[in-house]
Amino acid sequence: MRFVDTNILIYAIGLQPAPPEKKAIAREILAQGDIALSAQVLQEFYVQATHARRSDALSHDLAVRLI
């Protein structure tokens, strides 16, 4: 089992301006199924994904559904 960092979740949904290969790698990691997520990582994801200063911020409802 592998522990997944917040950045993997952010890259997987394409919120960070990053090379497309990062998004593909992040999605591949999440699809493997042998991952672990902590409550802290999920909380950090929510805060980062919904932050008001982000031009690409997710809505509360969408972020909760993703979690």
Side-chain angles (χ1 to χ4, degrees):
M1 185 163 297
R2 295 177 296 160
F3 184 75
V4 174
D5 176 271
T6 306
N7 290 324
I8 298 295
L9 301 177
I10 295 293
Y11 288 142
I13 62 170
L15 289 182
Q16 296 261 0
E21 60 268 12
K22 283 192 176 185
K23 181 177 182 178
I25 292 168
R27 288 181 172 209
E28 182 181 312
I29 290 168
L30 294 175
Q32 291 176 5
D34 64 336
I35 61 168
L37 297 167
S38 70
Q40 179 177 344
V41 165
L42 295 174
Q43 179 183 11
E44 289 171 358
F45 169 79
Y46 176 85
V47 169
Q48 291 299 316
T50 62
H51 199 283
R53 291 188 192 149
R54 294 188 76 97
S55 61
D56 57 354
L58 301 180
S59 68
H60 164 79
D61 291 338
L62 179 55
V64 169
R65 284 193 310 247
L66 289 170
I67 291 171

